[in-house]
PDB file of all heavy atoms in Angstrom:
ATOM      1  N   GLU A  35     108.424  85.090 115.388  1.00 98.00           N
ATOM      2  CA  GLU A  35     107.097  84.466 115.469  1.00 98.00           C
ATOM      3  C   GLU A  35     106.020  85.493 115.800  1.00 98.00           C
ATOM      4  O   GLU A  35     104.918  85.459 115.238  1.00 98.00           O
ATOM      5  CB  GLU A  35     107.103  83.355 116.522  1.00 98.00           C
ATOM      6  CG  GLU A  35     107.933  82.143 116.151  1.00 98.00           C
ATOM      7  CD  GLU A  35     109.424  82.336 116.366  1.00 98.00           C
ATOM      8  OE1 GLU A  35     109.815  83.388 116.949  1.00 98.00           O
ATOM      9  OE2 GLU A  35     110.197  81.452 115.952  1.00 98.00           O
ATOM     10  N   ARG A  36     106.341  86.418 116.702  1.00 98.00           N
ATOM     11  CA  ARG A  36     105.361  87.432 117.069  1.00 98.00           C
ATOM     12  C   ARG A  36     105.170  88.441 115.946  1.00 98.00           C
ATOM     13  O   ARG A  36     104.040  88.853 115.649  1.00 98.00           O
ATOM     14  CB  ARG A  36     105.776  88.152 118.350  1.00 98.00           C
ATOM     15  CG  ARG A  36     104.686  89.065 118.915  1.00 98.00           C
ATOM     16  CD  ARG A  36     105.114  89.713 120.209  1.00 98.00           C
ATOM     17  NE  ARG A  36     105.556  88.704 121.176  1.00 98.00           N
ATOM     18  CZ  ARG A  36     106.212  89.004 122.298  1.00 98.00           C
ATOM     19  NH1 ARG A  36     106.510  90.260 122.574  1.00 98.00           N
ATOM     20  NH2 ARG A  36     106.570  88.048 123.135  1.00 98.00           N
ATOM     21  N   ALA A  37     106.263  88.846 115.305  1.00 98.00           N
ATOM     22  CA  ALA A  37     106.146  89.786 114.183  1.00 98.00           C
ATOM     23  C   ALA A  37     105.304  89.189 113.072  1.00 98.00           C
ATOM     24  O   ALA A  37     104.444  89.858 112.486  1.00 98.00           O
ATOM     25  CB  ALA A  37     107.538  90.151 113.677  1.00 98.00           C
ATOM     26  N   ALA A  38     105.535  87.925 112.762  1.00 98.00           N
ATOM     27  CA  ALA A  38     104.754  87.266 111.710  1.00 98.00           C
ATOM     28  C   ALA A  38     103.285  87.185 112.101  1.00 98.00           C
ATOM     29  O   ALA A  38     102.393  87.447 111.278  1.00 98.00           O
ATOM     30  CB  ALA A  38     105.315  85.866 111.452  1.00 98.00           C
ATOM     31  N   GLN A  39     103.009  86.837 113.354  1.00 98.00           N
ATOM     32  CA  GLN A  39     101.630  86.713 113.805  1.00 98.00           C
ATOM     33  C   GLN A  39     100.885  88.038 113.668  1.00 98.00           C
ATOM     34  O   GLN A  39      99.735  88.076 113.203  1.00 98.00           O
ATOM     35  CB  GLN A  39     101.592  86.241 115.255  1.00 98.00           C
ATOM     36  CG  GLN A  39     100.184  86.112 115.824  1.00 98.00           C
ATOM     37  CD  GLN A  39     100.182  85.734 117.301  1.00 98.00           C
ATOM     38  OE1 GLN A  39     101.242  85.617 117.915  1.00 98.00           O
ATOM     39  NE2 GLN A  39      99.012  85.544 117.861  1.00 98.00           N
ATOM     40  N   VAL A  40     101.533  89.136 114.082  1.00 98.00           N
ATOM     41  CA  VAL A  40     100.890  90.447 114.007  1.00 98.00           C
ATOM     42  C   VAL A  40     100.585  90.819 112.556  1.00 98.00           C
ATOM     43  O   VAL A  40      99.495  91.319 112.238  1.00 98.00           O
ATOM     44  CB  VAL A  40     101.774  91.516 114.681  1.00 98.00           C
ATOM     45  CG1 VAL A  40     101.259  92.909 114.377  1.00 98.00           C
ATOM     46  CG2 VAL A  40     101.834  91.285 116.182  1.00 98.00           C
ATOM     47  N   HIS A  41     101.542  90.583 111.672  1.00 98.00           N
ATOM     48  CA  HIS A  41     101.308  90.878 110.259  1.00 98.00           C
ATOM     49  C   HIS A  41     100.152  90.067 109.699  1.00 98.00           C
ATOM     50  O   HIS A  41      99.292  90.596 108.965  1.00 98.00           O
ATOM     51  CB  HIS A  41     102.572  90.592 109.442  1.00 98.00           C
ATOM     52  CG  HIS A  41     103.583  91.686 109.472  1.00 98.00           C
ATOM     53  ND1 HIS A  41     104.556  91.778 110.441  1.00 98.00           N
ATOM     54  CD2 HIS A  41     103.782  92.738 108.643  1.00 98.00           C
ATOM     55  CE1 HIS A  41     105.305  92.842 110.204  1.00 98.00           C
ATOM     56  NE2 HIS A  41     104.855  93.437 109.121  1.00 98.00           N
ATOM     57  N   LEU A  42     100.111  88.799 110.015  1.00 98.00           N
ATOM     58  CA  LEU A  42      99.070  87.932 109.462  1.00 98.00           C
ATOM     59  C   LEU A  42      97.697  88.272 110.035  1.00 98.00           C
ATOM     60  O   LEU A  42      96.687  88.225 109.311  1.00 98.00           O
ATOM     61  CB  LEU A  42      99.427  86.474 109.740  1.00 98.00           C
ATOM     62  CG  LEU A  42     100.656  85.961 108.971  1.00 98.00           C
ATOM     63  CD1 LEU A  42     101.119  84.626 109.532  1.00 98.00           C
ATOM     64  CD2 LEU A  42     100.367  85.863 107.482  1.00 98.00           C
ATOM     65  N   GLU A  43      97.641  88.624 111.310  1.00 98.00           N
ATOM     66  CA  GLU A  43      96.367  89.052 111.887  1.00 98.00           C
ATOM     67  C   GLU A  43      95.866  90.330 111.212  1.00 98.00           C
ATOM     68  O   GLU A  43      94.670  90.469 110.926  1.00 98.00           O
ATOM     69  CB  GLU A  43      96.524  89.271 113.395  1.00 98.00           C
ATOM     70  CG  GLU A  43      96.691  87.987 114.190  1.00 98.00           C
ATOM     71  CD  GLU A  43      96.988  88.253 115.653  1.00 98.00           C
ATOM     72  OE1 GLU A  43      97.233  89.428 116.012  1.00 98.00           O
ATOM     73  OE2 GLU A  43      96.997  87.283 116.444  1.00 98.00           O
ATOM     74  N   PHE A  44      96.775  91.250 110.980  1.00 98.00           N
ATOM     75  CA  PHE A  44      96.439  92.496 110.301  1.00 98.00           C
ATOM     76  C   PHE A  44      95.937  92.208 108.885  1.00 98.00           C
ATOM     77  O   PHE A  44      94.914  92.738 108.453  1.00 98.00           O
ATOM     78  CB  PHE A  44      97.686  93.381 110.263  1.00 98.00           C
ATOM     79  CG  PHE A  44      97.499  94.750 109.683  1.00 98.00           C
ATOM     80  CD1 PHE A  44      96.983  95.779 110.450  1.00 98.00           C
ATOM     81  CD2 PHE A  44      97.876  95.027 108.374  1.00 98.00           C
ATOM     82  CE1 PHE A  44      96.835  97.060 109.929  1.00 98.00           C
ATOM     83  CE2 PHE A  44      97.732  96.298 107.840  1.00 98.00           C
ATOM     84  CZ  PHE A  44      97.202  97.313 108.618  1.00 98.00           C
ATOM     85  N   PHE A  45      96.640  91.366 108.162  1.00 98.00           N
ATOM     86  CA  PHE A  45      96.274  90.999 106.801  1.00 98.00           C
ATOM     87  C   PHE A  45      94.872  90.389 106.756  1.00 98.00           C
ATOM     88  O   PHE A  45      94.033  90.768 105.921  1.00 98.00           O
ATOM     89  CB  PHE A  45      97.297  90.005 106.244  1.00 98.00           C
ATOM     90  CG  PHE A  45      96.947  89.452 104.908  1.00 98.00           C
ATOM     91  CD1 PHE A  45      97.251  90.147 103.749  1.00 98.00           C
ATOM     92  CD2 PHE A  45      96.310  88.224 104.798  1.00 98.00           C
ATOM     93  CE1 PHE A  45      96.909  89.640 102.504  1.00 98.00           C
ATOM     94  CE2 PHE A  45      95.982  87.708 103.562  1.00 98.00           C
ATOM     95  CZ  PHE A  45      96.274  88.410 102.411  1.00 98.00           C
ATOM     96  N   ASP A  46      94.600  89.466 107.657  1.00 98.00           N
ATOM     97  CA  ASP A  46      93.309  88.786 107.652  1.00 98.00           C
ATOM     98  C   ASP A  46      92.178  89.695 108.116  1.00 98.00           C
ATOM     99  O   ASP A  46      91.074  89.664 107.555  1.00 98.00           O
ATOM    100  CB  ASP A  46      93.371  87.540 108.538  1.00 98.00           C
ATOM    101  CG  ASP A  46      94.158  86.404 107.909  1.00 98.00           C
ATOM    102  OD1 ASP A  46      94.207  86.333 106.666  1.00 98.00           O
ATOM    103  OD2 ASP A  46      94.740  85.596 108.666  1.00 98.00           O
ATOM    104  N   HIS A  47      92.443  90.497 109.138  1.00 98.00           N
ATOM    105  CA  HIS A  47      91.374  91.345 109.677  1.00 98.00           C
ATOM    106  C   HIS A  47      90.864  92.329 108.630  1.00 98.00           C
ATOM    107  O   HIS A  47      89.647  92.527 108.514  1.00 98.00           O
ATOM    108  CB  HIS A  47      91.859  92.115 110.908  1.00 98.00           C
ATOM    109  CG  HIS A  47      90.788  92.973 111.510  1.00 98.00           C
ATOM    110  ND1 HIS A  47      89.833  92.474 112.359  1.00 98.00           N
ATOM    111  CD2 HIS A  47      90.499  94.295 111.358  1.00 98.00           C
ATOM    112  CE1 HIS A  47      89.001  93.446 112.710  1.00 98.00           C
ATOM    113  NE2 HIS A  47      89.390  94.561 112.125  1.00 98.00           N
ATOM    114  N   TYR A  48      91.779  92.936 107.876  1.00 98.00           N
ATOM    115  CA  TYR A  48      91.368  93.932 106.887  1.00 98.00           C
ATOM    116  C   TYR A  48      91.233  93.349 105.484  1.00 98.00           C
ATOM    117  O   TYR A  48      90.976  94.099 104.538  1.00 98.00           O
ATOM    118  CB  TYR A  48      92.355  95.103 106.892  1.00 98.00           C
ATOM    119  CG  TYR A  48      92.317  95.859 108.200  1.00 98.00           C
ATOM    120  CD1 TYR A  48      93.404  95.839 109.069  1.00 98.00           C
ATOM    121  CD2 TYR A  48      91.185  96.565 108.587  1.00 98.00           C
ATOM    122  CE1 TYR A  48      93.364  96.514 110.278  1.00 98.00           C
ATOM    123  CE2 TYR A  48      91.126  97.232 109.790  1.00 98.00           C
ATOM    124  CZ  TYR A  48      92.217  97.206 110.635  1.00 98.00           C
ATOM    125  OH  TYR A  48      92.167  97.872 111.841  1.00 98.00           O
ATOM    126  N   ASP A  49      91.395  92.030 105.369  1.00 98.00           N
ATOM    127  CA  ASP A  49      91.191  91.340 104.087  1.00 98.00           C
ATOM    128  C   ASP A  49      91.987  92.014 102.974  1.00 98.00           C
ATOM    129  O   ASP A  49      91.457  92.330 101.900  1.00 98.00           O
ATOM    130  CB  ASP A  49      89.694  91.318 103.744  1.00 98.00           C
ATOM    131  CG  ASP A  49      89.362  90.355 102.624  1.00 98.00           C
ATOM    132  OD1 ASP A  49      90.158  89.433 102.378  1.00 98.00           O
ATOM    133  OD2 ASP A  49      88.313  90.544 101.968  1.00 98.00           O
ATOM    134  N   LEU A  50      93.282  92.239 103.232  1.00 98.00           N
ATOM    135  CA  LEU A  50      94.133  92.915 102.256  1.00 98.00           C
ATOM    136  C   LEU A  50      94.387  92.016 101.054  1.00 98.00           C
ATOM    137  O   LEU A  50      94.349  90.791 101.152  1.00 98.00           O
ATOM    138  CB  LEU A  50      95.470  93.296 102.897  1.00 98.00           C
ATOM    139  CG  LEU A  50      95.406  94.135 104.175  1.00 98.00           C
ATOM    140  CD1 LEU A  50      96.830  94.424 104.677  1.00 98.00           C
ATOM    141  CD2 LEU A  50      94.647  95.436 103.946  1.00 98.00           C
ATOM    142  N   ASP A  51      94.680  92.644  99.927  1.00 98.00           N
ATOM    143  CA  ASP A  51      95.034  91.889  98.732  1.00 98.00           C
ATOM    144  C   ASP A  51      96.532  91.657  98.623  1.00 98.00           C
ATOM    145  O   ASP A  51      96.966  90.667  98.034  1.00 98.00           O
ATOM    146  CB  ASP A  51      94.557  92.643  97.480  1.00 98.00           C
ATOM    147  CG  ASP A  51      93.043  92.654  97.372  1.00 98.00           C
ATOM    148  OD1 ASP A  51      92.445  91.571  97.290  1.00 98.00           O
ATOM    149  OD2 ASP A  51      92.453  93.760  97.380  1.00 98.00           O
ATOM    150  N   LEU A  52      97.314  92.567  99.154  1.00 98.00           N
ATOM    151  CA  LEU A  52      98.771  92.503  99.103  1.00 98.00           C
ATOM    152  C   LEU A  52      99.295  92.929 100.465  1.00 98.00           C
ATOM    153  O   LEU A  52      98.879  93.968 100.988  1.00 98.00           O
ATOM    154  CB  LEU A  52      99.305  93.443  98.015  1.00 98.00           C
ATOM    155  CG  LEU A  52     100.818  93.618  97.915  1.00 98.00           C
ATOM    156  CD1 LEU A  52     101.480  92.337  97.418  1.00 98.00           C
ATOM    157  CD2 LEU A  52     101.166  94.790  96.993  1.00 98.00           C
ATOM    158  N   LEU A  53     100.187  92.153 101.035  1.00 98.00           N
ATOM    159  CA  LEU A  53     100.751  92.493 102.346  1.00 98.00           C
ATOM    160  C   LEU A  53     102.111  93.137 102.177  1.00 98.00           C
ATOM    161  O   LEU A  53     102.989  92.584 101.498  1.00 98.00           O
ATOM    162  CB  LEU A  53     100.886  91.236 103.205  1.00 98.00           C
ATOM    163  CG  LEU A  53     101.561  91.427 104.577  1.00 98.00           C
ATOM    164  CD1 LEU A  53     100.733  92.345 105.468  1.00 98.00           C
ATOM    165  CD2 LEU A  53     101.791  90.074 105.252  1.00 98.00           C
ATOM    166  N   LYS A  54     102.285  94.294 102.791  1.00 98.00           N
ATOM    167  CA  LYS A  54     103.606  94.912 102.894  1.00 98.00           C
ATOM    168  C   LYS A  54     104.186  94.518 104.243  1.00 98.00           C
ATOM    169  O   LYS A  54     103.661  94.896 105.288  1.00 98.00           O
ATOM    170  CB  LYS A  54     103.522  96.428 102.791  1.00 98.00           C
ATOM    171  CG  LYS A  54     104.875  97.134 102.976  1.00 98.00           C
ATOM    172  CD  LYS A  54     104.684  98.632 103.063  1.00 98.00           C
ATOM    173  CE  LYS A  54     105.993  99.379 103.282  1.00 98.00           C
ATOM    174  NZ  LYS A  54     106.657  99.057 104.560  1.00 98.00           N
ATOM    175  N   LEU A  55     105.237  93.735 104.210  1.00 98.00           N
ATOM    176  CA  LEU A  55     105.890  93.309 105.434  1.00 98.00           C
ATOM    177  C   LEU A  55     106.768  94.445 105.940  1.00 98.00           C
ATOM    178  O   LEU A  55     107.694  94.880 105.256  1.00 98.00           O
ATOM    179  CB  LEU A  55     106.734  92.064 105.162  1.00 98.00           C
ATOM    180  CG  LEU A  55     107.128  91.200 106.348  1.00 98.00           C
ATOM    181  CD1 LEU A  55     105.889  90.584 106.997  1.00 98.00           C
ATOM    182  CD2 LEU A  55     108.078  90.106 105.898  1.00 98.00           C
ATOM    183  N   MET A  56     106.461  94.946 107.134  1.00 98.00           N
ATOM    184  CA  MET A  56     107.274  95.993 107.721  1.00 98.00           C
ATOM    185  C   MET A  56     108.625  95.409 108.134  1.00 98.00           C
ATOM    186  O   MET A  56     108.736  94.217 108.425  1.00 98.00           O
ATOM    187  CB  MET A  56     106.570  96.610 108.927  1.00 98.00           C
ATOM    188  CG  MET A  56     105.151  97.084 108.636  1.00 98.00           C
ATOM    189  SD  MET A  56     105.035  98.272 107.275  1.00 98.00           S
ATOM    190  CE  MET A  56     105.637  99.756 108.092  1.00 98.00           C
ATOM    191  N   ASN A  57     109.640  96.256 108.152  1.00 97.00           N
ATOM    192  CA  ASN A  57     110.992  95.784 108.462  1.00 97.00           C
ATOM    193  C   ASN A  57     111.641  96.782 109.410  1.00 97.00           C
ATOM    194  O   ASN A  57     112.284  97.737 108.988  1.00 97.00           O
ATOM    195  CB  ASN A  57     111.811  95.650 107.178  1.00 97.00           C
ATOM    196  CG  ASN A  57     113.143  94.970 107.398  1.00 97.00           C
ATOM    197  OD1 ASN A  57     113.612  94.849 108.520  1.00 97.00           O
ATOM    198  ND2 ASN A  57     113.775  94.529 106.314  1.00 97.00           N
ATOM    199  N   ASP A  58     111.466  96.544 110.701  1.00 95.00           N
ATOM    200  CA  ASP A  58     111.964  97.480 111.705  1.00 95.00           C
ATOM    201  C   ASP A  58     113.120  96.924 112.527  1.00 95.00           C
ATOM    202  O   ASP A  58     113.580  97.567 113.472  1.00 95.00           O
ATOM    203  CB  ASP A  58     110.824  97.909 112.633  1.00 95.00           C
ATOM    204  CG  ASP A  58     109.794  98.760 111.910  1.00 95.00           C
ATOM    205  OD1 ASP A  58     110.203  99.572 111.059  1.00 95.00           O
ATOM    206  OD2 ASP A  58     108.586  98.603 112.172  1.00 95.00           O
ATOM    207  N   TYR A  59     113.582  95.724 112.181  1.00 95.00           N
ATOM    208  CA  TYR A  59     114.787  95.221 112.836  1.00 95.00           C
ATOM    209  C   TYR A  59     115.983  96.037 112.357  1.00 95.00           C
ATOM    210  O   TYR A  59     116.040  96.458 111.211  1.00 95.00           O
ATOM    211  CB  TYR A  59     114.984  93.745 112.525  1.00 95.00           C
ATOM    212  CG  TYR A  59     113.920  92.861 113.142  1.00 95.00           C
ATOM    213  CD1 TYR A  59     113.006  92.187 112.351  1.00 95.00           C
ATOM    214  CD2 TYR A  59     113.833  92.706 114.522  1.00 95.00           C
ATOM    215  CE1 TYR A  59     112.022  91.376 112.916  1.00 95.00           C
ATOM    216  CE2 TYR A  59     112.862  91.910 115.091  1.00 95.00           C
ATOM    217  CZ  TYR A  59     111.951  91.237 114.282  1.00 95.00           C
ATOM    218  OH  TYR A  59     110.990  90.448 114.853  1.00 95.00           O
ATOM    219  N   ASP A  60     116.952  96.256 113.241  1.00 94.00           N
ATOM    220  CA  ASP A  60     117.989  97.238 112.944  1.00 94.00           C
ATOM    221  C   ASP A  60     119.132  96.671 112.109  1.00 94.00           C
ATOM    222  O   ASP A  60     119.448  95.482 112.174  1.00 94.00           O
ATOM    223  CB  ASP A  60     118.554  97.836 114.239  1.00 94.00           C
ATOM    224  CG  ASP A  60     119.123  96.767 115.179  1.00 94.00           C
ATOM    225  OD1 ASP A  60     118.345  95.934 115.639  1.00 94.00           O
ATOM    226  OD2 ASP A  60     120.345  96.789 115.432  1.00 94.00           O
ATOM    227  N   TYR A  61     119.709  97.576 111.328  1.00 97.00           N
ATOM    228  CA  TYR A  61     120.962  97.299 110.622  1.00 97.00           C
ATOM    229  C   TYR A  61     122.078  97.524 111.635  1.00 97.00           C
ATOM    230  O   TYR A  61     122.187  98.599 112.218  1.00 97.00           O
ATOM    231  CB  TYR A  61     121.095  98.240 109.430  1.00 97.00           C
ATOM    232  CG  TYR A  61     122.323  98.011 108.568  1.00 97.00           C
ATOM    233  CD1 TYR A  61     122.216  97.342 107.348  1.00 97.00           C
ATOM    234  CD2 TYR A  61     123.576  98.473 108.957  1.00 97.00           C
ATOM    235  CE1 TYR A  61     123.331  97.139 106.540  1.00 97.00           C
ATOM    236  CE2 TYR A  61     124.698  98.266 108.167  1.00 97.00           C
ATOM    237  CZ  TYR A  61     124.568  97.603 106.959  1.00 97.00           C
ATOM    238  OH  TYR A  61     125.667  97.399 106.166  1.00 97.00           O
ATOM    239  N   PRO A  62     122.947  96.547 111.863  1.00 96.00           N
ATOM    240  CA  PRO A  62     123.894  96.647 112.979  1.00 96.00           C
ATOM    241  C   PRO A  62     125.043  97.611 112.730  1.00 96.00           C
ATOM    242  O   PRO A  62     125.579  97.700 111.627  1.00 96.00           O
ATOM    243  CB  PRO A  62     124.415  95.215 113.107  1.00 96.00           C
ATOM    244  CG  PRO A  62     124.306  94.657 111.719  1.00 96.00           C
ATOM    245  CD  PRO A  62     123.058  95.266 111.142  1.00 96.00           C
ATOM    246  N   ALA A  63     125.420  98.319 113.781  1.00 95.00           N
ATOM    247  CA  ALA A  63     126.604  99.177 113.751  1.00 95.00           C
ATOM    248  C   ALA A  63     127.847  98.341 114.051  1.00 95.00           C
ATOM    249  O   ALA A  63     127.754  97.271 114.667  1.00 95.00           O
ATOM    250  CB  ALA A  63     126.477 100.293 114.778  1.00 95.00           C
ATOM    251  N   PRO A  64     129.017  98.791 113.625  1.00 94.00           N
ATOM    252  CA  PRO A  64     130.260  98.091 113.989  1.00 94.00           C
ATOM    253  C   PRO A  64     130.392  97.994 115.503  1.00 94.00           C
ATOM    254  O   PRO A  64     129.936  98.868 116.248  1.00 94.00           O
ATOM    255  CB  PRO A  64     131.355  98.982 113.395  1.00 94.00           C
ATOM    256  CG  PRO A  64     130.682  99.730 112.278  1.00 94.00           C
ATOM    257  CD  PRO A  64     129.279  99.948 112.742  1.00 94.00           C
ATOM    258  N   ASP A  65     131.008  96.937 115.967  1.00 93.00           N
ATOM    259  CA  ASP A  65     131.165  96.722 117.405  1.00 93.00           C
ATOM    260  C   ASP A  65     131.825  97.931 118.065  1.00 93.00           C
ATOM    261  O   ASP A  65     132.826  98.458 117.577  1.00 93.00           O
ATOM    262  CB  ASP A  65     132.018  95.483 117.673  1.00 93.00           C
ATOM    263  CG  ASP A  65     131.293  94.195 117.312  1.00 93.00           C
ATOM    264  OD1 ASP A  65     130.048  94.237 117.192  1.00 93.00           O
ATOM    265  OD2 ASP A  65     131.967  93.162 117.153  1.00 93.00           O
ATOM    266  N   GLY A  66     131.226  98.383 119.155  1.00 92.00           N
ATOM    267  CA  GLY A  66     131.808  99.469 119.932  1.00 92.00           C
ATOM    268  C   GLY A  66     131.395 100.854 119.490  1.00 92.00           C
ATOM    269  O   GLY A  66     131.770 101.845 120.129  1.00 92.00           O
ATOM    270  N   LEU A  67     130.624 100.968 118.403  1.00 92.00           N
ATOM    271  CA  LEU A  67     130.203 102.274 117.914  1.00 92.00           C
ATOM    272  C   LEU A  67     128.701 102.458 118.123  1.00 92.00           C
ATOM    273  O   LEU A  67     127.904 101.618 117.703  1.00 92.00           O
ATOM    274  CB  LEU A  67     130.518 102.425 116.430  1.00 92.00           C
ATOM    275  CG  LEU A  67     131.941 102.790 116.013  1.00 92.00           C
ATOM    276  CD1 LEU A  67     132.018 102.942 114.494  1.00 92.00           C
ATOM    277  CD2 LEU A  67     132.398 104.068 116.691  1.00 92.00           C
ATOM    278  N   GLU A  68     128.334 103.548 118.771  1.00 89.00           N
ATOM    279  CA  GLU A  68     126.917 103.878 118.891  1.00 89.00           C
ATOM    280  C   GLU A  68     126.446 104.721 117.717  1.00 89.00           C
ATOM    281  O   GLU A  68     125.274 104.679 117.343  1.00 89.00           O
ATOM    282  CB  GLU A  68     126.654 104.634 120.203  1.00 89.00           C
ATOM    283  CG  GLU A  68     126.770 103.769 121.438  1.00 89.00           C
ATOM    284  CD  GLU A  68     126.327 104.480 122.690  1.00 89.00           C
ATOM    285  OE1 GLU A  68     126.312 105.742 122.675  1.00 89.00           O
ATOM    286  OE2 GLU A  68     125.996 103.796 123.671  1.00 89.00           O
ATOM    287  N   VAL A  69     127.354 105.513 117.156  1.00 86.00           N
ATOM    288  CA  VAL A  69     127.033 106.335 116.009  1.00 86.00           C
ATOM    289  C   VAL A  69     128.276 106.455 115.137  1.00 86.00           C
ATOM    290  O   VAL A  69     129.403 106.456 115.632  1.00 86.00           O
ATOM    291  CB  VAL A  69     126.524 107.739 116.425  1.00 86.00           C
ATOM    292  CG1 VAL A  69     127.603 108.532 117.128  1.00 86.00           C
ATOM    293  CG2 VAL A  69     125.969 108.502 115.234  1.00 86.00           C
TER     294      VAL A  69
END
Side-chain angles (χ1 to χ4, degrees):
E35 291 79 7
R36 189 178 306 167
Q39 179 184 3
V40 169
H41 278 88
L42 292 167
E43 289 174 351
F44 184 82
F45 174 84
D46 286 332
H47 181 82
Y48 294 113
D49 194 21
L50 305 180
D51 291 300
L52 174 69
L53 176 64
K54 177 188 179 297
L55 200 64
M56 307 304 284
N57 189 344
D58 292 322
Y59 293 112
D60 57 296
Y61 183 102
D65 290 342
L67 279 182
E68 289 188 339
V69 65

